[in-house]
Amino acid sequence: HRIVCLYGGAIKGAQITHLRKGADIVVATPGRLLDLYDGGFVKLSSVEYFVLDEADRMLDMGFIHDIRKIDELLPGTRQMIMFSATMDKSVENLANQMLKDPVRIEVTPQNNAADTVEQHLIFTKGEHKDTIIIQFLKREINSPENKKLPRKERKNAIIFARTKKGAERLDKTLRKNGLQSVAIHGDKTQGQRKDALDRFRTGQIQILVATDVAARGLDIPKLNYVFNYDLPMEPDNYIHRIGRTGRAGESGQAFTLCCEDELSLLFAVESLLGTEIPEMETEWSVKLKRLKKSSGNRDRRNGNKRDDHKRNAHKGKKNQRNDRRKLENIRKQNDEIGNAFLENADGRKDSQKSRASQHKESGHRKNSNKEQMLDQSRQTQKKNQKKYHVDRQSIHRKRKKY
């Protein structure tokens, strides 16, 4: 069978070249598939099977529109198959809308971790997490016994961090402590991710630091250890994370580091699993109490919700009314401030007009005063001229007498 892979972040030219040669199986991301279809490089009229891997994520709001478009382009006689280790009820209802007479097959109970994965929980302080992981990796991964083995048989580990910055920081910290590691996250290019995974799969590097971008769809044979440096915001991702190990009948171990700030996230994960994760003590362990349902905290009971923003979105009508009242009060205050500002502006304009009129009046007064002064000066000049003329005549008469 000829297989072609289509995904974003890579040059289209090479993918188009492979498509022109023909394909029996196309593995694609929804966005790139639609992009090439719009360009006329993909024909979907003869598709027989439409498979959605990680169906719960594919049917999430971020991909549902693209999936619906692809579904409409496919022939009506094709078969649709969905795979997922976890499936939320809302997503399951959405899937049933797209499927016709579906048959449900469960290999293991839903939202359960594999029996081949041995789980451990370590309660500790946030500042001790680096020390715990570094000491463990130096003992297990950097040991002389492990380095003597062939590359593909050496012990390896994936460490999951919650954020991209956290993964990058942890990767630098490990390398500073003499541990060869590589990081993959959303800020890395497709080429950088591929290079990092290839080096990890071939055994060139035994430590991979990743965000949840590597929690799904990543198949690494004989992965020994998974570390949850941070507990995931979404409880489902815990199952996907630890599911990277213990695959194909192999055994593996998963270690979860939990500090006091993450107790609510731990409660959400254990509620999804339906059981408590066995606790493991180290020299950096601290005593922390798990949250319980009897606490009556709605956020804890609904811990399987994705994040605090979605929890706040489900507040009662009273909070919404209070928010509306606050907005109305703010608008009224803004209107009052605006009106006062306009009144002040009008007052300033009036004062400016009055000043201008006063200025004009004073100007007129000055002009009138100037004219009066000119008239007075002219009159004095005439008087002086008359006096001068009279005086000259009198002098001339006196001269004639003498």
Side-chain angles (χ1 to χ4, degrees):
H1 296 289
R2 187 172 183 79
I3 303 172
V4 176
C5 189
L6 309 176
Y7 52 89
I11 300 171
K12 292 182 183 178
Q15 297 177 2
I16 292 170
T17 302
H18 291 306
L19 283 172
R20 283 174 175 167
K21 294 178 182 178
D24 299 312
I25 300 172
V26 175
V27 182
T29 57
R32 178 52 63 94
L33 180 62
L34 288 172
D35 190 15
L36 294 176
Y37 176 83
D38 293 337
F41 302 106
V42 179
K43 293 181 180 180
L44 302 175
S45 57
S46 59
V47 172
E48 297 178 359
Y49 300 98
F50 181 33
V51 181
L52 288 183
D53 193 18
E54 306 294 348
D56 60 331
R57 182 63 65 209
M58 283 293 170
L59 296 178
D60 200 354
M61 295 309 294
F63 295 97
I64 183 61
H65 300 295
D66 289 344
I67 295 299
R68 286 189 183 278
K69 285 181 183 179
I70 295 170
D71 188 45
E72 291 173 359
L73 296 171
L74 298 174
T77 55
R78 51 100 180 113
Q79 183 180 10
M80 190 171 186
I81 307 169
M82 297 182 180
F83 293 99
S84 181
T86 57
M87 185 71 77
D88 187 68
K89 287 185 178 180
S90 60
V91 178
E92 187 176 354
N93 293 333
L94 188 61
N96 289 331
Q97 295 175 13
M98 302 178 67
L99 297 170
K100 295 178 182 179
D101 299 326
V103 176
R104 186 187 184 104
I105 301 172
E106 290 188 8
V107 179
T108 57
Q110 192 177 0
N111 299 330
N112 272 22
D115 296 334
T116 54
V117 181
E118 186 179 350
Q119 301 177 61
H120 306 281
L121 175 65
I122 301 172
F123 288 122
T124 186
K125 293 182 178 180
E127 58 267 26
H128 292 159
K129 287 185 176 183
D130 287 357
T131 304
I132 294 172
I133 287 182
I134 289 169
Q135 293 296 327
F136 181 89
L137 295 177
K138 282 185 175 181
R139 185 176 67 251
E140 297 294 331
I141 305 297
N142 263 23
S143 64
E145 296 80 6
N146 192 45
K147 288 185 176 181
K148 289 179 182 179
L149 297 172
R151 284 184 176 179
K152 290 188 177 182
E153 295 181 10
R154 293 176 185 174
K155 293 180 181 179
N156 50 10
I158 293 181
I159 307 169
F160 285 102
R162 188 181 301 127
T163 63
K164 293 177 282 190
K165 288 184 179 179
E168 198 67 28
R169 184 204 64 79
L170 182 58
D171 178 45
K172 291 178 181 178
T173 302
L174 295 178
R175 284 190 271 114
K176 283 180 182 179
N177 284 272
L179 295 164
Q180 291 186 351
S181 62
V182 66
I184 61 170
H185 49 72
D187 285 346
K188 299 285 187 180
T189 64
Q190 188 67 36
Q192 289 173 330
R193 293 186 206 177
K194 185 177 182 301
D195 179 66
L197 289 174
D198 288 342
R199 293 170 65 191
F200 187 67
R201 281 194 179 101
T202 56
Q204 296 179 30
I205 290 178
Q206 283 78 45
I207 303 169
L208 179 68
V209 184
T211 56
D212 285 329
V213 72
R216 295 168 177 260
L218 188 63
D219 185 22
I220 298 172
K222 296 183 179 180
L223 178 64
N224 300 97
Y225 306 111
V226 169
F227 276 91
N228 289 310
Y229 184 88
D230 300 309
L231 276 157
M233 294 299 295
E234 299 180 11
D236 294 352
N237 282 342
Y238 175 84
I239 296 174
H240 291 283
R241 283 182 180 185
I242 68 172
R244 298 311 96 200
T245 186
R247 300 171 72 87
E250 298 287 340
S251 61
Q253 296 186 62
F255 298 88
T256 300
L257 308 182
C258 179
C259 60
E260 189 173 4
D261 295 338
E262 297 174 306
L263 288 175
S264 59
L265 299 175
L266 175 64
F267 177 83
V269 169
E270 292 183 335
S271 297
L272 183 69
L273 295 173
T275 184
E276 292 184 351
I277 303 171
E279 188 176 347
M280 177 181 178
E281 291 189 2
T282 67
E283 58 180 302
W284 297 280
S285 294
V286 295
K287 291 183 178 180
L288 295 176
K289 290 184 178 180
R290 288 178 166 91
L291 302 181
K292 295 182 179 180
K293 292 183 180 180
S294 59
S295 61
N297 190 331
R298 287 186 179 180
D299 289 342
R300 292 171 186 172
R301 273 187 259 147
N302 298 331
N304 58 342
K305 295 181 181 178
R306 293 193 174 175
D307 51 312
D308 293 337
H309 299 289
K310 288 193 176 181
R311 293 172 192 167
N312 292 334
H314 292 283
K315 284 182 178 180
K317 292 182 180 179
K318 291 183 180 179
N319 292 337
Q320 292 178 359
R321 289 173 185 170
N322 291 334
D323 293 338
R324 288 173 187 169
R325 287 173 186 170
K326 288 179 182 178
L327 287 172
E328 289 177 0
N329 292 331
I330 291 169
R331 286 172 185 168
K332 288 179 181 178
Q333 290 175 2
N334 290 338
D335 292 338
E336 291 174 358
I337 293 168
N339 293 331
F341 178 78
L342 292 173
E343 289 176 1
N344 290 333
D346 293 337
R348 288 173 186 171
K349 287 181 181 178
D350 294 337
S351 63
Q352 288 176 358
K353 287 180 180 178
S354 63
R355 286 175 187 172
S357 62
Q358 290 174 3
H359 184 68
K360 285 181 181 179
E361 290 176 0
S362 64
H364 289 304
R365 288 174 186 172
K366 288 179 180 179
N367 290 334
S368 62
N369 291 333
K370 284 181 181 179
E371 290 175 357
Q372 290 176 1
M373 291 174 68
L374 285 171
D375 292 337
Q376 289 176 0
S377 64
R378 285 170 186 168
Q379 289 175 2
T380 53
Q381 283 178 1
K382 286 181 181 180
K383 289 179 181 180
N384 291 333
Q385 284 178 359
K386 286 180 180 179
K387 281 184 179 181
Y388 178 74
H389 184 67
V390 171
D391 290 341
R392 284 191 70 180
Q393 285 181 352
S394 63
I395 291 168
H396 184 65
R397 286 173 187 170
K398 287 178 180 180
R399 283 179 181 175
K400 281 185 177 180
K401 285 182 181 181
Y402 296 105

